[in-house]
Amino acid sequence: MAKAYAWWGVLMAVTIRLMEKRDTEEVRKVARATWHHTYEGIIPERVRTRFLDAFYNDEAILRRMTGSILLVAEREDGIVGFANFFSSRRDPSEAELGAIYILPEAQGGGIGTLLLQEGIGRLRLQGATRLLANVERSNRKGLSFYEAKRFKASGEKEELFYGYALRTVQMKLDLAD
């Protein structure tokens, strides 16, 4: 069921809904634009491109669409953002926010918050009590977003990401609040 939100000023009306197959190309465009904008100067371009090619091809997107909660934020001019929530394989009371991407020109207007709120509502209905998100340590804008939403840092790790040493901060939100 789609939810429509009306914002005045810079934003047009935004509808938050589950992704449909017809949205694949627009979701891919949002992912590419956002990743290159956010991680330029943090993650090398060749690494960003390899990741996007692997995780945002048709098959990968459709697999996520059917195996997780994949929400889109749509305005009259098209999809401007999306968020992807997964149930944890380790702990049924835990969920993960795998992605929340908003087009650079649409950031800062509340769309990310709307996607997060809708996802949290759906996760609570599935019995989740905790939400985890991993954020690249140098992504200050991302870290600030999560901190503003009451996520708390619960650890850091370094992992090889297509041959690049990626340093992530794990953020945790208690959904019982």
Side-chain angles (χ1 to χ4, degrees):
M1 181 168 155
K3 291 188 180 179
Y5 299 89
W7 290 80
W8 301 104
V10 178
L11 288 180
M12 296 179 264
V14 175
T15 299
I16 306 297
R17 62 174 174 78
L18 286 170
M19 182 191 162
E20 298 172 4
K21 187 175 181 177
R22 66 183 166 90
D23 302 323
T24 301
E25 188 57 37
E26 284 189 88
V27 165
R28 184 179 10 262
K29 286 179 184 176
V30 170
R32 289 188 184 285
T34 304
W35 251 76
H36 287 303
H37 178 265
T38 301
Y39 294 111
E40 184 177 8
I42 298 173
I43 298 173
E45 183 177 5
R46 66 176 171 69
V47 175
R48 296 190 314 258
T49 299
R50 284 183 65 198
F51 167 77
L52 291 164
D53 289 348
F55 282 79
Y56 289 95
N57 62 54
D58 287 350
E59 184 180 315
I61 291 173
L62 294 176
R63 189 172 44 248
R64 273 204 228 91
M65 190 179 83
T66 58
S68 63
I69 300 170
L70 186 49
L71 300 170
V72 296
E74 184 175 40
R75 297 192 305 204
E76 66 183 34
D77 57 342
I79 291 173
V80 295
F82 70 93
N84 195 192
F85 301 85
F86 300 86
S87 295
S88 173
R89 293 185 193 121
R90 295 179 311 270
D91 182 347
S93 67
E94 199 168 78
E96 297 178 36
L97 175 53
I100 187 164
Y101 303 147
I102 313 300
L103 286 174
E105 61 272 18
Q107 291 177 8
I111 294 170
T113 300
L114 294 175
L115 285 164
L116 183 62
Q117 289 171 342
E118 179 67 19
I120 288 171
R122 290 171 183 262
L123 292 170
R124 283 182 173 141
L125 291 174
Q126 294 178 358
T129 59
R130 284 181 308 284
L131 179 60
L132 305 176
N134 291 307
V135 186
E136 211 291 330
R137 188 171 67 182
S138 298
N139 180 358
R140 297 291 172 213
K141 193 171 187 177
L143 288 169
S144 294
F145 172 81
Y146 290 110
E147 289 166 352
K149 307 305 177 224
R150 299 185 337 202
F151 280 76
K152 304 286 183 217
S154 62
E156 285 192 36
K157 65 181 177 181
E158 184 173 315
E159 58 190 322
L160 281 181
F161 185 73
Y162 294 99
Y164 173 76
L166 187 69
R167 292 178 184 92
T168 58
V169 177
Q170 185 174 68
M171 306 294 288
K172 185 188 253 183
L173 178 66
D174 183 357
L175 300 182
D177 292 343

